[in-house]
Amino acid sequence: MANKFFKINLEGAVLKVGFGEPAQNDQIVKDAVERLDEMVKSKELAGGQVLKINGPASLPVAIAIAHAVAHLYEVIGVFDPKIGKYVVAVSHGSKHQPGDLVD
């Protein structure tokens, strides 16, 4: 049933996210976490240098996504459509700091 209420797919270094069928946040978070667990177990989300996240998400879902991927990647950037760039939200290295902009 994962990916019914919240869509998550990896396209290169970009984690594309977005809402699926209408549901409340409790169900959406469960669906998103289930999908992320599948992606980690299958090594689709295997970790690396930079993961960029792009698409709409509620705050509870965004936190669930961050928790699932924050220690798999050195840098997590989230797309800001107003700026047209990814804003570094999580950094475990010295190359990028939170608040840096990346393409």
Side-chain angles (χ1 to χ4, degrees):
M1 172 159 32
N3 228 20
K4 177 179 179 181
F5 302 112
F6 196 74
K7 308 291 183 187
I8 303 175
N9 294 298
L10 188 62
E11 296 178 14
V14 178
L15 192 68
K16 297 280 192 163
V17 301
F19 295 100
E21 294 181 19
Q24 297 298 317
N25 266 323
D26 59 327
Q27 185 59 54
I28 296 169
V29 167
K30 290 174 188 173
D31 192 52
V33 167
E34 186 178 333
R35 173 68 176 134
L36 290 162
D37 286 346
E38 289 173 359
M39 294 174 81
V40 170
K41 286 177 185 168
S42 71
K43 305 255 191 257
E44 186 177 356
L45 279 177
Q49 292 294 312
V50 178
L51 179 69
K52 300 174 184 176
I53 301 172
N54 193 328
S58 64
L59 185 56
V61 173
I63 291 171
I65 293 169
H67 180 261
V69 301
H71 293 287
L72 295 174
Y73 293 86
E74 184 175 324
V75 173
I76 306 294
V78 180
F79 188 72
D80 184 333
K82 290 183 229 171
I83 301 172
K85 294 185 181 267
Y86 291 86
V87 178
V88 173
V90 176
S91 177
H92 298 289
S94 59
K95 185 175 179 182
H96 295 289
Q97 298 301 310
D100 286 354
L101 299 177
V102 293
D103 291 316

